[in-house]
Amino acid sequence: MKKKSLFCIILLFVFYFSIGNSWGESQEISLREDDIEHSQENLQNGMQVVMNLCTLCHDLKYVRFRDLAGIGLSSESIDKIRGESDANDSILSKMNAEQMNALFGATTPDLSLMVKARNGGAQYIYSLLLGYHERGDGVIINSLFPDIKMPDVFAYSIEKDELDRLTLEQNARDVAAFLVWTADPKADERRTLGVYVMIYLFVLTFMLYLVKKKTWARLNSNDVT
Amino acid sequence: MSKVKKWVDQRFPLSSFIKHDLVEYPTPRNLSYWWNFGFLAGFVLILQLLTGIFLAMHYKPDALLAFDSVDHIMREVNYGWLIRYMHAVGASAFFAVIYIHMARTLYYGSYRAPRELMWWSGQALLLALMATAFMGYLLPWGQMSFWGAQVITGLFGTAPFFGDEIVIWLRGDFAVGDATLTRFFALHYLLPFLIVSIVVIHLIALHHVKSSNPSGINLSAKNNIPFHPYFTAKDLFGLGIFLIIYSYFVFFNPEFLILAENNIPANPLQTPSQIVPEWYFLPFYAILRSVPDLLGGVLAMGLSVMIFATLPFLDRSKIPGGAKYRPIYRVMFYIFVLDVIVLTYVGAQMPTEFWTLVGRIATLIYFLTFALLPFLSKYEEKKLRQKGLPEEIEELIRCEEQYGRGGKK
């Protein structure tokens, strides 16, 4: 019986990883592997970059200005960021879809869920932002997404100064970190609650195990066929 | 209190029902933990009903609003993220539990007489569950929701003569759209209650024929024990283990089974690079793709689900008990389980030449298992009886030949 259970558990693991891997690998791209930090400074820096650069064209329609309190911004700083907009307004680009179409020949996707909407998540965003490089003929292309209509907004491909390049890389990581937050602002709350739930369930299950053991001890084991 | 009880009992068999079917209900004492999964399936069903009702209070079945309303639930509704992730993870948990429940029935041959009606009501439950899950998957209105529904409803177009009409009738439009979303929502809300009523039938049949048990022999009275407190305790412990695994996914890995594509709003103008159904449909999807002809594929897929219902006829062995006592059947069981896992994997791959070949072999093995069962089970019984079975089992088989299985001894 023990052996059989073990066999089943192994099967389940094979199953688990076969599903997980097969979906992860469906897009074969090599992503940058640097660690993305998620401290409040990172998130706020990422937010600054997103507000200054990304929201020129992209919306974050599921995020409201007041939500930014979630990354530790005071209401004064939020007021500064939102300007004329209401605190309850979504973060929207100043441009509309037609203007974007006229400029780039594509509508810009909303960024609020972008991390969840791409295989690779935050690493994908980070790698994409820094994926631009100059081809031999002087044309700048993105190695991760050759057909992309978005220009190299960080000017990373033409930046020669080593120190400035490092800053840009840090900014790209922070943008990714901020977009992780916008995609799932309840993640911290979820994990905190999850820890309590797990502790509760482990204690409860252990007690239920004892109850089961004690109840069944009443039976005379000789009768079992 | 006792007055109220008496008043009710004169009018409704409440006390005797509780006594007969919940407390004293005789249960074989040798049931292993594999027998927990029926109870777990009932638990997940209630979980899905409750979370689903709360989701429906905030969800908007409108092609223009659906995706946003799901995000509204995730961000603005109090604990909406919890309810939605519980529901989404719960769907996968439901299938995991049901598939294990089915595998247990297969391993122990519990579908055989006198439990055929349990098996067939279970088959109806599986179909209803699949339909519910399929329609529920459209509701978030993401890319994979939309294209999955588009592909699967499109399969009905292979039906002879009325194919196109059936597809339009199902979708309510020429393509999946607002009309499809609203009807899927209505049916997704309705079907669970149908499931509840089939569960009642399933349970009435169970309490009539009683649980099967690992030995496969109807146990004498002394080896049956009252359901309460023994199996209430055992089921609750099993529930604790289940909840730990379930909560891990809900709280720490909720997007594990949600495809990235489905976090992009449905776009009828842009087909995703690969259309993949949810993991619990992958084996059947792999069978669909393995048959070169589309109509043949659709038929094979339908058959692969429905073929389970034929098992009471296909398994002709009279050897009582599970695969433990049946060497050939046991090997077939493990091959089948491995085969389904291979099909699941193949279903998620791009249909390259290699994976198509693997899928075809796995499909062949899938159906061969069923096709060979009548012969192998009979052969196995003959061999085992030649080798000599314990006298009591021989007598049991003779008894059954005379009175029919489950008859009086």
Side-chain angles (χ1 to χ4, degrees), chain B residues 182-204:
Chain B
T182 47
R183 67 185 53 198
F184 274 29
F185 178 64
L187 293 172
H188 184 70
Y189 208 114
L190 168 73
L191 280 183
F193 297 99
L194 190 71
I195 290 180
V196 169
S197 52
I198 308 175
V199 166
V200 171
I201 294 172
H202 199 63
L203 286 178
I204 291 174

Side-chain angles (χ1 to χ4, degrees), chain B residues 25 43 59 84 144 147 153 175 184 202 207 216 224 230 298 303 306 323 331 342 359 368 372:
Chain B
Y25 174 66
F43 179 84
Y59 171 77
R84 191 219 162 190
M144 209 51 87
W147 287 99
T153 52
F184 274 29
H202 199 63
H207 283 231
N224 282 317
Y230 298 106
V298 174
L303 185 65
M306 290 309 297
V331 171
V342 169
L368 265 183
L372 293 178

Side-chain angles (χ1 to χ4, degrees), chain B residues 204-382:
Chain B
I204 291 174
L206 172 69
H207 283 231
H208 186 63
V209 297
K210 308 284 186 284
S211 285
S212 64
N213 72 77
S215 79
I217 301 167
N218 284 333
L219 300 178
S220 60
K222 69 167 182 172
N223 285 322
N224 282 317
I225 49 177
F227 191 82
H228 181 75
Y230 298 106
F231 285 98
T232 37
K234 197 168 181 170
D235 278 349
L236 284 176
F237 170 56
L239 178 64
I241 301 285
F242 167 81
L243 284 177
I244 287 172
I245 299 169
Y246 173 75
S247 301
Y248 160 73
F249 282 102
V250 169
F251 290 102
F252 300 103
N253 212 348
E255 299 266 335
F256 176 69
L257 291 167
I258 299 177
L259 294 169
E261 291 277 5
N262 224 31
N263 283 310
I264 304 170
N267 181 356
L269 300 176
Q270 188 186 28
T271 320
S273 57
Q274 197 195 0
I275 298 173
V276 198
E278 289 285 81
W279 70 268
Y280 37 79
F281 290 138
L282 286 175
F284 311 108
Y285 188 61
I287 289 175
L288 167 77
R289 292 198 303 188
S290 292
V291 181
D293 172 61
L294 186 59
L295 178 60
V298 174
L299 291 176
M301 181 172 69
L303 185 65
S304 67
V305 181
M306 290 309 297
I307 201 166
F308 289 104
T310 61
L311 272 174
F313 303 116
L314 297 185
D315 188 355
R316 292 160 72 209
S317 169
K318 290 202 186 71
I319 306 291
K324 195 179 167 190
Y325 307 104
R326 301 173 59 188
I328 298 178
Y329 184 80
R330 187 169 64 229
V331 171
M332 289 173 82
F333 171 81
Y334 284 122
I335 290 177
F336 184 73
V337 171
L338 278 174
D339 190 59
V340 170
I341 291 172
V342 169
L343 281 170
T344 306
Y345 189 80
V346 172
Q349 303 305 312
M350 285 284 195
T352 56
E353 207 171 308
F354 173 71
W355 287 118
T356 308
L357 180 70
V358 176
R360 283 187 181 153
I361 295 169
T363 302
L364 198 68
I365 294 174
Y366 187 98
F367 288 112
L368 265 183
T369 321
F370 290 95
L372 293 178
L373 186 59
F375 312 106
L376 287 177
S377 59
K378 203 75 208 164
Y379 171 78
E380 177 188 60
E381 185 197 321
K382 212 174 92 190

Side-chain angles (χ1 to χ4, degrees), chain A residues 25-214:
Chain A
E25 281 166 9
S26 59
Q27 224 177 16
E28 274 173 39
I29 34 176
S30 60
L31 300 178
R32 286 170 178 260
E33 283 169 2
D34 316 62
D35 281 334
I36 292 172
E37 298 150 279
H38 295 268
S39 75
Q40 228 161 53
E41 290 89 80
N42 294 116
L43 292 182
Q44 290 179 5
N45 181 42
M47 186 274 299
Q48 281 299 344
V49 179
V50 168
M51 296 309 275
N52 294 340
L53 221 51
C54 309
T55 56
L56 290 176
C57 303
H58 291 276
D59 292 342
L60 286 113
K61 66 171 173 176
Y62 298 124
V63 186
R64 297 167 199 276
F65 286 103
R66 63 168 154 83
D67 296 337
L68 293 175
I71 58 167
L73 290 187
S74 63
S75 59
E76 290 82 45
S77 355
I78 295 177
D79 287 347
K80 236 181 265 166
I81 294 164
R82 69 185 165 91
E84 300 290 292
S85 318
D86 192 87
N88 281 319
D89 284 349
S90 300
I91 300 176
L92 298 177
S93 141
K94 298 278 180 294
M95 304 234 236
N96 59 34
E98 282 101 66
Q99 289 171 311
M100 294 313 306
N101 249 327
L103 263 176
F104 301 106
T107 44
T108 46
D110 188 274
L111 290 186
S112 358
L113 286 171
M114 194 47 85
V115 164
K116 278 195 203 168
R118 294 290 181 273
N119 289 318
Q123 300 294 344
Y124 176 84
I125 306 289
Y126 169 48
S127 310
L128 182 85
L129 287 173
L130 301 181
Y132 294 90
H133 58 88
E134 217 171 330
R135 221 164 47 185
D137 54 0
V139 179
I140 293 166
I141 62 152
N142 192 313
S143 48
L144 202 61
F145 187 174
D147 293 335
I148 199 168
K149 296 287 195 325
M150 183 171 92
D152 181 8
V153 283
F154 281 7
Y156 182 72
S157 57
I158 50 168
E159 183 60 66
K160 294 288 183 284
D161 187 73
E162 229 12 76
L163 221 60
D164 285 344
R165 279 179 82 85
L166 286 179
T167 314
L168 289 180
E169 286 165 18
Q170 183 61 47
N171 282 350
R173 280 197 293 275
D174 291 349
V175 166
F178 177 66
L179 291 183
V180 168
W181 176 81
T182 62
D184 192 4
K186 307 282 182 169
D188 282 342
E189 186 191 351
R190 191 181 72 234
R191 283 190 280 262
T192 312
L193 183 62
V195 170
Y196 291 124
V197 169
M198 285 306 224
I199 292 171
Y200 174 83
L201 282 177
F202 272 109
V203 173
L204 176 77
T205 306
F206 180 65
M207 291 198 298
L208 286 171
Y209 170 70
L210 293 181
V211 168
K212 191 259 163 189
K213 222 175 124 185
K214 197 147 172 109

